[in-house]
Amino acid sequence: MASFEGSVFSSVAQAPEDPILGVTVAYNNDPSPVKVNLGVGAYRTEEGKPLVLNVVRRAEQLLVNDPSRVKEYLPITGLANFNKLSAELIFGHDSPAIQENRVATVQCLSGTGSLRVGGEFLARHYHERTIYIPQPTWGNHTKVFTLAGLSVKTYRYYDPATRGLDFDGLLADLSVAPPGAIVLLHACAHNPTGVDPTLDQYEQIRLLIRSKGLLPFFDSAYQGFASGNLDADAQSVRLFVADGGECLTAQSYAKNMGLYGERVGALSIVCKSADVAARVVSQLKLVIRPMYSNPPIHGASIVATILEDREMYKEWTIELKAMADRIINMRQLLFEALRTRGTPGDWSHIIKQIGMFTFTGLNREQVAFMTKEYHIYMTSDGRISMAGLRAKTVPHLADAIHAAVSQIQ
């Protein structure tokens, strides 16, 4: 008779906490009334609360009140209107690639799912399996692309000395990449550094990538959320689409519509012809079907409802700009608070960087000190979420940074 005393999984080791999500776990376990969570990659109001956009609530109400709506499965590629509107949002309504039907778009599970589907498609159907990602980059990029079947290498991106872009290093590393290699680019608001190339620099990057036959893969997680302008935040992507070359773009609506838990995203592959695009879609279906069959309907319906209605679209852009402006204001307040305290060092990078995150330049020991002494939680690389900061918590953070850099080298 079989014994059921011991578990067949007894050899399974305890996995470490995710380095980003683990910050929130530690924060939640801290009873201190002055604790501040600057690790979370989600927008918070001035009151420190999650925000559901008014336009999202309106769209949901419309969907709920529509008796014709059902809960049937979507096609493997997702909601057709959502795909069309998403491509137009990132590439522009007048994009020749869209007008010529050269864009293969599929709905995916937010940005992560879009990257994973794109990675698996490339591993199966592209001749070069090496992808170059910036150093540093979002912690999940390496895992997503490795598990998708690609070989991950890095190119220089951030210069700790200037707390800005290592543009010469970036060009030097991409210039020696093998022909055909895939290059991951952050469309805007680079995570975790908040450092973006200028448009002129992006043009130089484009020329290098095209001259070497490299394949650009954009991760667009913050369109409209960085500058407050949807078109401005898509300029890097549109530069590459305008030259007629091919590229991939992963989109997420987590940040710019606040649809974090709805997992709404899209993968678009710009191809040389409509015929190629159609074949690409057919193969993307074969990637998606055994992975999750088809995507969820609710979040994509919210996005499509907002994007296709002129009034709701305008309301969204106003709310989106308000979120972006609050983050920009937090940058200014923190910079001024550090300057007022005479905190050692140059902190101008805080207002030069853009988007949800700031790479402070604080080291691991300084971060640990701030957590222990001031109950401020952030990732150990010194990245802070400006969206988690409030006017009332800026002085406490500035005090902590001042103490950390003054006492710990």
Side-chain angles (χ1 to χ4, degrees):
M1 187 172 178
S3 172
F4 295 100
E5 291 179 5
S7 170
V8 294
F9 303 114
S10 58
S11 62
V12 175
Q14 178 68 40
E17 287 280 5
D18 180 277
I20 297 174
L21 302 182
V23 172
T24 298
V25 173
Y27 168 83
N28 289 337
N29 291 333
D30 186 343
S32 171
V34 298
K35 65 182 180 178
V36 181
N37 185 2
L38 300 178
V40 64
Y43 183 81
R44 294 291 180 263
T45 65
E46 182 56 38
E47 292 72 42
K49 304 295 185 184
L51 176 67
V52 179
L53 299 184
N54 291 327
V55 72
V56 166
R57 292 199 186 278
R58 277 185 61 202
E60 283 191 304
Q61 202 60 56
L62 286 173
L63 296 171
V64 168
N65 293 341
D66 182 354
S68 69
R69 286 187 58 77
V70 293
K71 300 292 185 182
E72 292 293 296
Y73 290 124
L74 284 176
I76 297 171
T77 54
L79 191 66
N81 202 31
F82 165 85
N83 291 340
K84 173 182 175 291
L85 293 163
S86 293
E88 290 175 352
L89 185 70
I90 189 68
F91 301 130
H93 293 272
D94 57 351
S95 172
I98 292 176
Q99 293 171 352
E100 295 161 12
N101 296 314
R102 294 190 286 110
V103 182
T105 302
V106 291
Q107 180 189 335
C108 297
L109 305 183
S110 203
T112 306
S114 303
L115 292 165
R116 180 63 183 266
V117 170
E120 293 212 10
F121 169 80
L122 292 170
R124 293 186 195 184
H125 299 286
Y126 186 58
H127 64 86
E128 175 58 66
R129 291 192 175 188
T130 302
I131 184 166
Y132 282 76
I133 63 176
Q135 177 61 39
T137 192
W138 179 47
N140 220 14
H141 278 146
T142 299
K143 299 167 193 170
V144 167
F145 290 123
T146 299
L147 289 173
L150 299 176
S151 172
V152 177
K153 293 188 177 180
T154 61
Y155 62 88
R156 281 172 282 177
Y157 189 87
Y158 178 74
D159 181 357
T162 64
R163 295 176 186 172
L165 183 67
D166 182 359
F167 189 54
D168 290 339
L170 181 155
L171 294 179
D173 288 350
L174 293 187
S175 68
V176 297
I182 308 153
V183 180
L184 182 81
L185 299 164
H186 295 229
C188 67
H190 179 273
N191 178 5
T193 70
V195 175
D196 286 350
T198 64
L199 265 185
D200 286 343
Q201 289 172 328
Y202 254 122
E203 175 60 12
Q204 292 182 62
I205 295 168
R206 184 192 68 80
L207 289 170
L208 174 60
I209 283 177
R210 294 310 192 197
S211 69
K212 286 189 59 69
L214 307 177
L215 181 63
F217 192 155
F218 285 94
D219 185 355
S220 178
Y222 302 97
Q223 186 184 358
F225 195 87
S227 69
N229 185 302
L230 288 156
D231 291 323
D233 290 349
Q235 284 180 299
S236 61
V237 178
R238 293 176 188 179
L239 267 180
F240 282 79
V241 177
D243 67 13
E246 294 175 303
C247 65
L248 295 85
T249 302
Q251 285 171 272
S252 166
Y253 289 95
K255 272 74 175 181
N256 59 14
M257 279 199 190
L259 296 174
Y260 303 96
E262 298 292 354
R263 312 308 294 143
V264 197
L267 171 70
S268 288
I269 303 180
V270 177
C271 305
K272 279 286 188 181
S273 69
D275 174 61
V276 171
R279 282 183 276 139
V280 165
V281 169
S282 75
Q283 291 295 337
L284 287 171
K285 289 180 183 179
L286 299 186
V287 173
I288 293 168
R289 177 63 170 149
M291 191 186 290
Y292 54 84
S293 273
N294 44 60
I297 193 169
H298 185 67
S301 298
I302 294 171
V303 174
T305 299
I306 293 168
L307 294 184
E308 68 187 354
D309 183 278
R310 184 174 295 181
E311 183 195 342
M312 294 182 82
Y313 179 91
K314 184 177 180 182
E315 183 180 347
W316 173 48
T317 62
I318 293 169
E319 291 193 79
L320 180 54
K321 188 172 189 313
M323 288 193 289
D325 285 349
R326 195 186 88 76
I327 291 173
I328 291 167
N329 185 46
M330 288 303 104
R331 290 183 178 279
Q332 192 66 43
L333 290 179
L334 179 58
F335 171 69
E336 290 170 0
L338 292 170
R339 187 170 58 180
T340 300
R341 283 161 178 75
T343 304
D346 177 8
W347 296 94
S348 62
H349 59 283
I350 290 174
I351 51 177
K352 291 175 184 173
Q353 294 172 5
I354 192 170
M356 180 174 281
F357 301 109
T358 284
F359 225 40
T360 60
L362 297 166
N363 61 39
R364 186 179 294 267
E365 292 74 24
Q366 290 166 337
V367 169
F369 169 85
M370 289 169 60
T371 301
K372 182 173 183 289
E373 301 297 330
Y374 288 84
H375 304 275
I376 290 173
Y377 291 83
M378 66 182 86
T379 52
S380 60
D381 58 6
R383 184 197 82 165
I384 62 174
S385 171
M386 301 307 297
L389 199 55
R390 297 184 278 160
K392 66 183 289 186
T393 57
V394 165
H396 183 57
L397 175 60
D399 287 343
I401 292 174
H402 183 85
V405 299
S406 299
Q407 299 177 37
I408 299 171
Q409 298 304 310

